[in-house]
Amino acid sequence: MRIDQTHRTWAIASGVILGAAILLWFPYALLYPGGPGGNTWPGLIYGALGYAMMLFAGLMGARKRVPLWRVGRAQAWMRGHIWLGALSLPMILLHSAFVARGPLAMVLMALLVITVLSGITGAILQHFVPGQILAAVPLETIYEQIPEVRDQLFEEATEIINKLCARPDEVALAVSSGVISPGIGGAVVAEPDTATELTEVQRLVLRQVYSASILPFLRDPDHSGSPLSDFTKASLYFDAMRRQMPVSVHQEVTDLEQICEEERQLKRQARKYLWLHGWLLVHVPLSLTLLVLGGIHAFVAIHY
């Protein structure tokens, strides 16, 4: 979610609440008998407000998972999650008078700081990374569909190689007899009008290039170690291929080059997606732990 003008109301309300809380805290800290602390009535009010804000932020996750809880618009919940979640930290600091007394309080304060910081990090990523994805990945696809798109790219590349490497006599025989002649990866040999007059050496070179570089890159782009992972090296690689092949097959070589470029874009998208959502692996479990321990802390503080 981008932090834009739609957040203005939440930002103003959060600023007003924080300002009022700070203004009220100073006379309380100066005049309250025994000084400020989490066990005083004003301190308990600050603590209750801070924990309520944390609960509201945590309820957004429950709202996503329980269909019956879909109350209000998701965008409004997200804005509240961001601003009230961030506001909970200063409220808890005011509650504790900036001192963590006891092991549980220290753990809770550390969890709260890390949780809020991870949430702020996530908000920053959500604001900037989507625009970077659009700029770096013009052919962006739905993240969950990336494996299917990769399979399609592999099949397209395999079909191109099989068309180029099929000898005209084999193609004519396969079509006339109705026999399907498989090529690399089990793809079907092309129709006669797509068969290209290449020498046996050129066909061998194409198959070796495909097997040694293009195929490993398309199948495992993250660990192939292929020069095709880099745009500049890939351009030089395919330029060299075109120089070794007749002009009649340059378009097919360009198609292979474009397929590898699409794979690089998928790889960049997957990497940025991890940046965009990986912070949740820290934020979500810490938030749940914070809510549970915060509830225990509140129960113990009130009853004992």
Side-chain angles (χ1 to χ4, degrees):
M1 166 178 278
R2 293 183 61 84
I3 308 298
D4 52 24
Q5 292 183 349
T6 60
H7 287 253
R8 184 176 180 180
T9 301
W10 279 101
I12 293 174
S14 298
V16 170
I17 293 172
L18 178 59
I22 293 174
L23 288 175
L24 292 173
W25 188 84
F26 280 106
Y28 147 64
L30 293 172
L31 303 175
Y32 200 86
N39 58 346
T40 66
W41 279 109
L44 289 174
I45 293 173
Y46 280 112
L49 289 174
Y51 188 68
M53 292 173 181
M54 287 189 284
L55 281 176
F56 178 87
L59 284 175
M60 193 193 72
R63 179 190 178 277
K64 289 181 178 180
R65 290 168 175 78
V66 182
L68 295 178
W69 291 7
R70 297 292 176 90
V71 179
R73 301 188 61 174
Q75 296 293 322
W77 276 81
M78 179 59 74
R79 296 183 192 107
H81 176 89
I82 293 173
W83 290 101
L84 293 183
L87 188 57
S88 66
L89 176 57
M91 297 300 290
I92 295 300
L93 289 174
L94 295 175
H95 154 72
S96 64
F98 303 92
V99 177
R101 297 179 177 86
L104 180 58
M106 294 178 64
V107 170
L108 283 170
M109 189 61 70
L111 284 175
L112 179 57
V113 171
I114 297 173
T115 300
V116 171
L117 289 179
S118 65
I120 293 173
T121 300
I124 293 173
L125 291 173
Q126 295 282 345
H127 182 81
F128 290 105
V129 172
Q132 294 180 359
I133 292 178
L134 289 175
V137 188
L139 300 176
E140 181 186 6
T141 187
I142 298 175
Y143 179 79
E144 289 75 14
Q145 294 180 353
I146 286 181
E148 298 177 12
V149 175
R150 280 180 164 158
D151 288 339
Q152 292 175 5
L153 293 176
F154 165 72
E155 293 173 2
E156 290 175 15
T158 300
E159 183 178 355
I160 290 172
I161 290 296
N162 286 327
K163 287 179 180 180
L164 294 177
C165 295
R167 293 193 301 271
D169 57 332
E170 291 178 340
V171 177
L173 178 61
V175 172
S176 62
S177 61
V179 176
I180 297 177
S181 177
I184 298 175
V188 178
V189 170
E191 293 81 4
D193 59 352
T194 62
T196 306
E197 291 291 348
L198 295 176
T199 66
E200 286 297 326
V201 173
Q202 289 170 331
R203 293 190 185 97
L204 179 61
V205 169
L206 279 174
R207 288 191 180 275
Q208 288 178 339
V209 165
Y210 183 73
S211 299
S213 298
I214 299 177
L215 176 61
F217 174 67
L218 294 179
R219 274 311 192 193
D220 192 4
D222 294 317
H223 303 95
S224 64
S226 172
L228 301 179
S229 297
D230 179 77
F231 175 79
T232 302
K233 293 180 180 179
S235 297
L236 296 174
Y237 189 91
F238 285 103
D239 285 343
M241 278 186 65
R242 277 185 281 268
R243 287 194 296 270
Q244 298 179 55
M245 297 294 150
V247 177
S248 58
V249 303
H250 282 191
Q251 182 57 53
E252 283 78 3
V253 175
T254 300
D255 292 340
L256 289 171
E257 184 178 13
Q258 182 59 36
I259 287 173
C260 291
E261 169 58 22
E262 290 185 37
E263 178 54 60
R264 286 193 296 273
Q265 291 194 25
L266 291 176
K267 182 179 177 181
R268 288 196 295 271
Q269 180 182 346
R271 187 185 302 118
K272 289 184 179 296
Y273 184 91
L274 291 178
W275 276 102
L276 189 61
H277 298 279
W279 62 277
L280 290 171
L281 297 176
V282 174
H283 186 71
V284 172
L286 287 183
S287 299
L288 294 175
T289 304
L290 179 63
L291 288 175
V292 173
L293 292 180
I296 295 174
H297 172 73
F299 179 82
V300 171
I302 292 173
H303 289 83
Y304 298 97

